[in-house]
Amino acid sequence: MSSPPAPQTPERRLPGGPVLQDSVTEAIAAAFFEELAQVGYAKLSLEAVAKRAGAGKAAIYRRWPSKLAMTIALISQVVSSAVEISDSGTLRGDVLAFVTDAAAALRHRLPARIAPDLLAESTRNPELAQALLAAVRDPRRARAVGMLERAIERGELPADVDRDLALDLLAGPLYWRLAVVHAPTAPDYLDRLTDKILAAIIA
């Protein structure tokens, strides 16, 4: 007996515009991240993304008006899906979950190459820098502030804790080790890092 036919990929229509096939959008998104990881933002071209996706350049322009718009939209989509922060009931559990999720992302081959490139490019491209702050940094930090506020409500942190410094401590050391110096980590590294972060935040 033959296998049932694969379900058709859903389609969506822009207001007053053409139907956009989700399968094409997904192919373009996958091609974008592969191309961005390979050549970097400065050298990335819409033609190369379209070729890698097996689509026409017009298919990209029907979805995004420019390279910057495509970059922000797709990066925001990924960050939005990964921005949830666990509520374990304890600050230590939340911090450990936070660094564990961040480590998994930074060890993935695409984010490991894309994140440093975008940060470097943002120092030369103010428009990209502002877009990344709004799309990536601000939502992530807002969720992390919520984690700190829950700890304050539970009495694990004082109400006057330095929130900005705490957020830097949550992200900085791990990013430096995995994305900048690419140093290996022992199996208990994240547990030890969690304890050091907590000690620094509480101090």
Side-chain angles (χ1 to χ4, degrees), residues 15-120:
V19 172
L20 300 182
Q21 293 184 349
D22 286 352
S23 60
V24 176
T25 303
E26 291 167 5
I28 293 172
F32 164 79
F33 285 112
E34 292 286 351
E35 192 71 16
L36 182 59
Q38 180 173 328
V39 304
Y41 180 84
K43 294 182 179 179
L44 183 137
S45 70
L46 299 186
E47 292 86 353
V49 173
K51 182 178 179 180
R52 187 187 284 267
K57 189 176 176 181
I60 293 179
Y61 280 117
R62 283 196 293 270
R63 291 161 172 81
W64 306 284
S66 66
K67 179 172 79 170
L68 176 65
M70 179 173 64
T71 299
I72 296 307
L74 293 179
I75 293 293
S76 299
Q77 182 178 341
V78 170
V79 171
S80 177
S81 65
V83 80
E84 294 297 333
I85 294 179
S86 299
D87 183 359
S88 67
T90 68
L91 179 58
R92 190 185 190 284
D94 290 352
V95 171
L96 180 59
F98 182 94
V99 297
T100 298
D101 290 346
L106 291 171
R107 286 172 175 148
H108 189 284
R109 66 179 184 87
L110 292 182
R113 298 181 67 178
I114 289 171
D117 173 75
L118 286 179
L119 288 175

Side-chain angles (χ1 to χ4, degrees), residues 115-150:
D117 173 75
L118 286 179
L119 288 175
E121 184 62 30
S122 67
T123 65
R124 301 181 288 270
N125 186 328
E127 189 176 13
L128 176 64
Q130 288 302 313
L132 287 175
L133 289 177
V136 179
R137 185 202 65 179
D138 293 348
R140 185 71 171 171
R141 287 176 76 89
R143 296 295 178 89
V145 167
M147 177 177 68
L148 298 176
E149 296 298 339
R150 291 196 302 270

